[in-house]
Amino acid sequence: MSRRPARRTRRRRPARRSGKQDERVVLLVAVIAAVGLAAAAVQWLLAHWWVLAVVASLAVGAGGLWCRLARQRAEWNRVRARSLRLRMTELDGLDHRAFEFAIRDLMRRDGCRAERLGGAGDNACDVRAVDPAGRVWAVQCKHRRDGDGGSAVGVGVLQQVNGTAWQIHGADVAVVLTNGRFSSKAVPWAGEHRIHLVDRRVLGEWAAGSRPLWDLLDRIPPPRRPTALS
C-alpha cells in the first residue's frame, strides 16, 4: 500500500490590532497614569497640609489687595471726574477720537452715565448719556483743529442727527457740539428742529466747569424723574 503524503498544517498568523484598539490602550494607560499621579499628589498634600494653608492665605491676601486697589482706582476716577477742567487750547489740540472721549468725561463729571459711541456705524451720535434727571442725550461731536478758523458745521450734519437722535438713540436732548462754529443756515434750522447747538463759546464755559451743560442751554425738556439737580 502506498502512503499518502501528510498534509502540511499552516500556521495561523496572529491577528493584527486595529488602530482604534491601539488608541484605546494608550488612552487607558494615560488615564491610569493620571489617576496615579493625582492620588500621589493628594497623598503628598495630606502629608504636607501646611502648603495648602500657605497657598490659601496667599490667595486670600491677593484677592483682598486686588479689591482694595480696584476701590482706590474707582475713587480716584470719581475724584478726577469731579474736578475735571479743560481749556479750549487743550480741546483744540486733541484729535477727533480723543475729543469725543473728553466730551464723555465732561458729561460724567456732571453726574451723567455716559458712553462714547463714535466710530463707524454710530448713527450720528458720538456720545450718549443719561443725566441725573433721567433725560437721554445724543451728542454729535465735530472737532476742528483750527477752532473758529476751521470750516463751519453746516445743516447736513444737523439733518443726520435729526434722523437718528430720536428714532434710534431714544434721545430727549439732541446736541451738535463743536470747538468751532456753525454756519448761518445751521442756527435757524437747529431751532426749528429742536436740536441744541454747542459752539466754541458755550463749550469753553462748560469745559471750564462753571455749570453743567443743561444749565447753559435753552428749552431743555423737563426731568423724567424728580432730582435735586433738576
Side-chain angles (χ1 to χ4, degrees):
M1 295 181 60
S2 61
R3 295 182 180 179
R4 294 180 179 178
R7 293 181 180 179
R8 295 180 180 178
T9 57
R10 296 181 180 178
R11 295 181 181 179
R12 294 182 180 179
R13 296 179 180 179
R16 295 181 180 179
R17 293 181 178 178
S18 64
K20 292 184 178 180
Q21 289 177 335
D22 292 339
E23 291 178 0
R24 291 174 183 174
V25 171
V26 172
L27 179 61
L28 179 61
V29 172
V31 170
I32 294 173
V35 171
L37 289 174
V42 170
Q43 291 179 355
W44 188 88
L45 289 174
L46 290 176
H48 302 81
W49 57 269
W50 55 270
V51 175
L52 290 176
V54 170
V55 171
S57 63
L58 290 176
V60 171
L65 178 61
W66 184 88
C67 292
R68 189 158 57 249
L69 291 176
R71 286 195 298 268
Q72 289 178 353
R73 283 194 299 268
E75 182 60 27
W76 290 337
N77 289 335
R78 284 193 293 269
V79 171
R80 184 175 61 183
R82 286 195 297 267
S83 61
L84 180 62
R85 303 288 186 272
L86 295 173
R87 298 187 300 272
M88 286 307 304
T89 53
E90 294 175 313
L91 293 171
D92 290 341
L94 301 175
D95 60 27
H96 72 278
R97 185 172 181 271
F99 183 68
E100 294 166 2
F101 278 112
I103 300 306
R104 180 205 65 181
D105 292 343
L106 287 171
M107 296 296 287
R108 289 181 177 180
R109 178 200 66 187
D110 294 339
C112 300
R113 300 194 313 273
E115 59 179 333
R116 174 189 174 269
L117 304 178
D122 61 9
N123 291 307
C125 177
D126 294 315
V127 177
R128 186 180 186 276
V130 180
D131 68 20
R135 293 170 295 216
V136 177
W137 293 64
V139 183
Q140 176 74 341
C141 303
K142 290 298 176 183
H143 183 264
R144 298 291 185 260
R145 186 169 294 279
D146 296 330
D148 275 337
S151 60
V153 179
V155 174
V157 175
L158 277 61
Q159 291 174 337
Q160 294 176 0
V161 172
N162 189 53
T164 61
W166 333 108
Q167 300 91 329
I168 295 179
H169 301 292
D172 299 300
V173 187
V175 176
V176 179
L177 179 150
T178 181
N179 64 323
R181 58 192 174 87
F182 292 94
S183 68
S184 58
K185 294 182 180 180
V187 176
W189 199 95
E192 294 173 2
H193 295 83
R194 298 184 301 126
I195 297 177
H196 297 272
L197 302 183
V198 176
D199 60 10
R200 185 178 183 83
R201 180 190 63 80
V202 178
L203 175 60
E205 185 176 356
W206 177 43
S210 59
R211 290 184 292 170
L213 186 56
W214 45 88
D215 283 353
L216 301 173
L217 301 177
D218 297 327
R219 296 184 297 168
I220 295 295
R224 284 195 178 190
R225 57 174 177 261
T227 173
L229 298 178
S230 62

